[in-house]
Amino acid sequence: DTGVSQDPRHKITKRGQNVTFRCDPISEHNRLYWYRQTLGQGPEFLTYFQNEAQLEKSRLLSDRFSAERPKGSFSTLEIQRTEQGDSAMYLCASSSRRYEQFFGPGTRLTVL
Amino acid sequence: KQEVTQIPAALSVPEGENLVLNCSFTDSAIYNLQWFRQDPGKGLTSLLLIQSSQREQTSGRLNASLDKSSGRSTLYIAASQPGDSATYLCAVSFLDNQGGKLIFGQGTELSVKP
């Protein structure tokens, strides 16, 4: 068990560019969550997958954001036409059923 | 609206002191509550998970309590050490959300001075 991993750890991009982040959950976990955290705040929920099905999306997830979890394994989060307000730490977590959630190290996005 | 609040936002204590971090939530219908630690620029490390049927959980120098009726949880840290310096986050999973998403407080930034 290597824990939850995320790639890349840091991403700097120019406004208007598209970015994609990857999350690899703990292998036996069927639930995967994406959260966003801005400086000095607690994480905020973005979206949730159970296996390959995306079952819940926050209103924070505008139409520029899309997430997938093909085959119920890793997940990707894509942001199109990035804006400076998208700058944040993007966190991925996984769990088995509704048990304890384990978080990855996060991807720090900076939009210039 | 379901909200989680942590007070104080920051706390500074001398090494060796016992301390209590507070977390309150607006809806008593919770599924579980987790306490996390976050070091600067890093992800979250799970410290303790309390199910709604439990009153407390302990791990080493940490003890977390849960009082659903009053909408409160506390994290007690015994004999604090400089290595305990970090931000501590409380997060609640409410019963009416089957997906289990967590609602987080803003965190308490703890500094333990040698």
Side-chain angles (χ1 to χ4, degrees):
Chain A
D1 178 4
T2 58
V4 179
S5 62
Q6 292 186 246
D7 185 71
R9 297 289 304 277
H10 303 275
K11 179 71 175 179
I12 299 174
T13 191
K14 294 182 179 179
R15 189 175 55 186
Q17 298 294 305
N18 299 342
V19 296
T20 300
F21 310 140
R22 176 178 171 128
C23 170
D24 286 89
I26 294 171
S27 58
E28 64 268 26
H29 286 178
N30 63 339
R31 295 184 177 217
L32 187 147
Y33 304 83
W34 285 98
Y35 294 85
R36 180 172 70 184
Q37 185 179 28
T38 54
L39 202 61
Q41 301 296 315
E44 293 179 291
F45 169 79
L46 291 178
T47 190
Y48 149 68
F49 290 85
Q50 184 165 322
N51 300 312
E52 68 277 7
Q54 187 175 19
L55 297 183
E56 186 175 356
K57 293 193 292 186
S58 163
R59 57 181 172 80
L60 294 175
L61 215 65
S62 76
D63 56 6
R64 295 185 298 106
F65 288 71
S66 63
E68 295 182 341
R69 193 184 182 196
K71 303 180 182 179
S73 56
F74 70 92
S75 175
T76 59
L77 178 67
E78 180 183 17
I79 309 174
Q80 296 182 327
R81 305 181 302 281
T82 52
E83 302 172 356
Q84 287 185 325
D86 296 331
S87 294
M89 174 79 89
Y90 289 84
L91 295 160
C92 175
S94 71
S95 73
S96 175
R97 301 184 185 179
R98 285 190 70 174
Y99 300 151
E100 190 172 5
Q101 289 190 24
F102 294 89
F103 280 74
T107 294
R108 167 75 65 189
L109 173 66
T110 301
V111 181
L112 301 176
Chain B
K1 182 182 177 183
Q2 293 165 333
E3 293 182 340
V4 178
T5 303
Q6 292 184 248
I7 295 173
L11 181 63
S12 181
V13 301
E15 181 178 4
E17 191 162 298
N18 301 327
L19 59 100
V20 174
L21 306 180
N22 297 296
C23 172
S24 61
F25 42 94
T26 54
D27 183 351
S28 63
I30 74 169
Y31 188 83
N32 60 37
L33 183 148
Q34 265 184 273
W35 281 94
F36 294 91
R37 168 187 173 136
Q38 186 174 35
D39 292 291
K42 306 294 185 183
L44 278 62
T45 300
S46 180
L47 298 173
L48 289 164
L49 170 75
I50 307 180
Q51 300 288 355
S52 62
S53 58
Q54 297 174 317
R55 294 298 300 272
E56 65 179 288
Q57 281 284 355
T58 298
S59 176
R61 295 183 293 109
L62 306 179
N63 176 277
S65 68
L66 174 64
D67 184 343
K68 285 192 303 181
S69 61
S70 67
R72 294 174 185 271
S73 175
T74 61
L75 180 66
Y76 174 83
I77 302 177
S80 59
Q81 303 170 358
D84 295 330
S85 298
T87 295
Y88 290 80
L89 292 155
C90 167
V92 177
S93 174
F94 290 97
L95 265 178
D96 64 354
N97 182 275
Q98 292 298 312
K101 70 180 180 186
L102 294 174
I103 308 294
F104 282 84
Q106 306 93 320
T108 294
E109 186 176 359
L110 173 66
S111 176
V112 181
K113 303 297 186 183

